[in-house]
């Protein structure tokens, strides 16, 4: 765990279009110093991020991506209960999504949420989600993974990856990310779906609110929109602050803080062995790094 040389945090986006304003990347060096934004003149696209992860990643980098790396499985014993064909694990889910969405530009996932076989499982627009619960009925805030239940117990308010509605929609962000994970197969292991390798780089799921909590922020004030608030949270993690004063967009601040947080906690062996993480959960649902 202490072998990583770099820590890359990616604030992700499932938005339409060739370039997503919601994508931000920040890198922290194990040797110290403030985290730095990894900038791209025209902004980042999902395709750009995939290319960086495949070809240009610094050696021994722990990558954190702010998305759900799988859909709920443990609650119903299936990602899509009631289907004749069951998907046995997260890798097969990624492959299915990427195959159905092969024609979607910019690594989008619209074809999957529009697919007649899968659309009823999502809360989309005025549709409440025919299968938002295991019994085929709509249920409150929807289905959650075990790791998201752990997040809630830590004081966060996670949202279901089956939700595609409003500001709280995280579904498309996660689905587009799963396309990226599938296309990284064989190049970058994804913990805990893959074992943590003894050397080299690896990717984990992050939830930026967890980093904010450990940076001294409350769950209701996890977003930092000023350099002053960001630097106070960085100092709480023992990291030097970043330059600048006044406003900062929350995508950049999320990435910067989470890169420093990854550097701060990655050497803690307990982070890699959370109590709720069984082999079955690792294989089907994955886990959010830092959730306990």
């Amino acid at each position: 765990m202490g072998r990583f040389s770099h820590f890359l945090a990616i604030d992700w986006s499932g938005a339409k279009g060739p370039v997503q304003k919601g994508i931000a990347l920040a890198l922290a060096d194990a040797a110290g110093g403030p985290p730095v934004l990894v900038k791209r003149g025209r902004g980042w696209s999902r395709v750009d991020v995939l290319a960086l992860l495949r070809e240009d990643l610094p050696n021994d980098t722990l990558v954190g991506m702010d998305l759900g790396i799988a859909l709920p499985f443990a609650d119903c014993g299936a990602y899509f209960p009631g289907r004749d064909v069951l998907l046995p694990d997260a890798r097969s889910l990624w492959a299915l999504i990427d195959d159905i969405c092969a024609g979607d530009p910019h690594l989008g996932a619209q074809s999957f949420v529009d697919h007649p076989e899968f659309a009823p499982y999502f809360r989309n627009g005025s549709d409440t989600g025919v299968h938002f619960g295991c019994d085929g009925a709509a249920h409150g805030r929807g289905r959650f993974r075990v790791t998201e239940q752990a997040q809630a117990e830590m004081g966060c308010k996670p949202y279901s990856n089956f939700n595609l509605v409003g500001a709280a929609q995280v579904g498309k962000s996660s689905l587009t990310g799963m396309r990226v994970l599938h296309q990284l197969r064989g190049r970058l292991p994804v913990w805990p779906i893959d074992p943590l390798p003894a050397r080299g780089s690896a990717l984990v799921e992050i939830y930026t609110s967890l980093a904010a909590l450990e940076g001294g922020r409350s769950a209701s004030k996890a977003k930092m929109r000023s350099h002053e608030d960001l630097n106070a949270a960085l100092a709480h993690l023992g990291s030097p602050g970043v330059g600048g004063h006044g406003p900062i967009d929350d995508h950049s601040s999320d990435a910067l803080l989470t890169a420093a947080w990854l550097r701060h906690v990655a050497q803690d062996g307990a982070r890699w062995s959370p109590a709720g993480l069984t082999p079955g959960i690792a294989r089907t649902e994955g886990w959010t790094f830092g959730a306990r």
Side-chain angles (χ1 to χ4, degrees):
M1 285 77 74
R3 61 175 178 75
F4 293 109
S5 300
H6 304 88
F7 303 87
L8 178 68
I10 303 173
D11 199 35
W12 191 245
S13 172
K16 293 181 179 179
V19 175
Q20 286 74 41
K21 293 182 179 179
I23 293 180
L25 282 68
L27 189 68
D29 194 307
V36 296
L37 287 174
V38 184
K39 294 185 178 180
R40 192 172 180 85
R42 62 181 177 84
W44 287 96
S45 70
R46 288 185 287 269
V47 174
D48 294 332
V49 175
L50 174 60
L52 182 148
L53 294 177
R54 293 181 70 171
E55 308 294 344
D56 296 321
L57 196 63
N59 292 333
D60 301 319
T61 296
L62 179 60
V63 179
M65 291 188 73
D66 185 24
L67 51 85
I69 59 175
L71 295 173
F73 185 99
D75 59 343
C76 302
Y79 299 114
F80 306 104
R83 286 185 74 236
D84 291 335
V85 179
L86 296 180
L87 301 169
D89 53 33
R91 294 188 188 98
S92 62
L93 174 67
W94 301 345
L96 174 71
I97 295 167
D98 196 49
D99 181 60
I100 289 175
C101 299
D104 287 24
H106 318 305
L107 288 172
Q110 191 64 42
S111 293
F112 192 77
V113 298
D114 287 344
H115 193 283
E117 189 172 354
F118 302 105
Y121 291 89
F122 291 88
R123 175 174 283 167
N124 193 352
S126 59
D127 180 6
T128 58
V130 176
H131 296 290
F132 213 52
C134 299
D135 58 3
H139 282 272
R141 298 176 60 235
R143 295 173 57 197
F144 290 91
R145 296 181 296 157
V146 174
T147 190
E148 290 152 0
Q149 296 167 6
Q151 294 170 16
E153 292 173 1
M154 295 174 70
C156 297
K157 188 178 181 181
Y159 292 91
S160 172
N161 284 326
F162 283 108
N163 183 36
L164 305 175
V165 179
Q169 74 89 12
V170 295
K172 284 187 182 176
S173 179
S174 293
L175 294 171
T176 59
M178 290 180 217
R179 292 196 64 189
V180 169
L181 299 180
H182 177 68
Q183 295 190 32
L184 287 171
R185 295 299 304 156
R187 291 178 177 265
L188 187 63
V190 179
W191 178 89
I193 291 164
D194 299 310
L196 185 67
R199 61 182 60 85
S201 298
L203 187 149
V204 297
E205 171 185 331
I206 55 173
Y207 183 25
T208 58
S209 290
L210 293 180
L213 286 175
E214 293 197 52
R217 309 284 295 180
S218 67
S220 62
K221 296 182 178 180
K223 296 299 181 184
M224 297 154 291
R225 295 182 172 88
S226 75
H227 283 85
E228 289 75 16
D229 284 347
L230 170 61
N231 283 333
L234 287 169
H236 201 89
L237 295 174
S239 171
V242 300
H245 301 280
I248 184 173
D249 69 274
D250 58 358
H251 303 296
S252 295
S253 64
D254 280 349
L256 287 162
L257 183 70
T258 308
W261 172 77
L262 284 170
R263 177 174 61 188
H264 183 67
V265 302
Q267 73 280 2
D268 180 1
R271 306 281 180 154
W272 301 94
S273 302
L277 182 58
T278 65
I281 294 297
R283 183 181 69 253
T284 57
E285 294 194 346
W287 199 262
T288 310
F289 185 70
R292 304 174 186 177

